[in-house]
Amino acid sequence: MTRDTPAVLPAQNTSSGGAGPAPAAASPRDFTFAVGHRLTGPDGEPRHGRTGTITTPHGTIQTPAFIPVATQASVKAVLPEAMAALGGQALLANAYHLYLQPGAGLLDEAGGLGRFMNWPGPTFTDSGGFQVMSLGSGFKKVIDMNGPTAPSGQGADDAVAPGKERLANVDEDGVWFKSHLNGDRHRFTPEVSVGIQHQLGADIMFAFDELTTLHNSRGYQEEALERTRRWAQRCLDEHARLTSERAGKPYQALFGVIQGAQFEDLRRKACGDLAGMRSDFPDGGGSGTALEHGFDGYGIGGALEKENLGTIVGWCAEELPEDRPRHLLGISEPDDLFTSVENGADTFDCVSPTRVARTGAFYTADGRFNLPGARYKRDFGALEDGCDCYTCAHYTRAYIHHLIKAKEMVAHTLMSIHNERFTVRLVDRIRASIVDGTFYELKDEVLGRYYAPRD
């Protein structure tokens, strides 16, 4: 069946029918961010880095924080209970994939994403914007997309990754997606994306945007940025409408997404444009009054070269409101974590910890290693000495090496638990170092050891 005309989420009937007053609409006041300690540089001057507390209807997030990815309402190979035990504060799911299956309406019936997957804490959902790029051009990486894989090189607006088919086509109103599952066509617009995310029920949603690549020309980056700006206002307006009409539901925060690739003027313009947007929201408490409100936070996304990560995050931190959290989409390597925190990112997500675990790679303070190697066959030590994760407390490298060779699925679980704990714990240490003033000492210690040359 082809769904060429997806349904826009209808208004709910909130009349009491004589059974008492209608439930009050939620309010943006139900989501807050408070800045805590600020990072001071070695020269004594303030930096953009800070700690903070995000308060949502399903709990708080102490920032900086790494947000593990649960693409299809599941962190691959890991139970939600295990994610809580290893210190995950929130999980991020993919709106596009959950729309395809099992369907956003089903999650709405189940009480939302968190209840559906037995996760009691805060949740995030992306907008489908990443799929505009990944299903369009087929380039999977956002950071460091300047490699030689594009046949026509940088500036090729229609470049497609080798061996890939274009499954997303952008126009002024939205995007047509061709399902990677069965070939059906699906229409995403700003209103459809926000409606899906409201049904999914995440505490933090992202506005629908067009994610470009570094292979796009400057002219196309400008065109896409302007399109994303128009979509952002439409997202905000639809979010205000649904917040009012879905009375009785917890408030869901909406983050605008900053694009602009590697261009300083485009990044700064995007920040200013989105920071200035407003729509009329319910003020809560059943008063019926309107509250003029903008985005609850901002996602820093898009194509950027790894070496420019800190600079670009810094540009955004200088332009965006101080009292709104900043989420950096798609990073988890130790050097990227320190760079992004130092320059003002509050939260970040990435699939890498579980993705590399499924290839047999595991993180340690001394770098990343590949467990399928023969050297581990009789290694009866933990994946990492001193690690407090469940895997390291109970299992040896030799045993997990055997599981990998035997193609036992539990190997993915044990490796993923360790890699997620490694990443979450590192960001926890970074957060503590801002408070106690040892950020730069920790950065030198961790990166010097992790990236030290090895035989």
Side-chain angles (χ1 to χ4, degrees), residues 94-96 126-133 177 188 193 197 208-209:
N94 185 295
Y96 171 80
D126 63 12
S127 66
F130 180 78
Q131 279 66 42
V132 176
M133 183 274 292
F177 289 109
F188 267 47
S193 174
Q197 292 184 82
F208 191 55
D209 62 311

Side-chain angles (χ1 to χ4, degrees), residues 257-258 267 298-302 312-313 316 320 326-329:
V257 180
I258 308 301
R267 289 282 182 177
Y298 301 90
I300 303 172
I312 292 171
V313 174
C316 296
L320 292 171
R326 310 164 191 138
H327 182 87
L328 182 58
L329 294 133

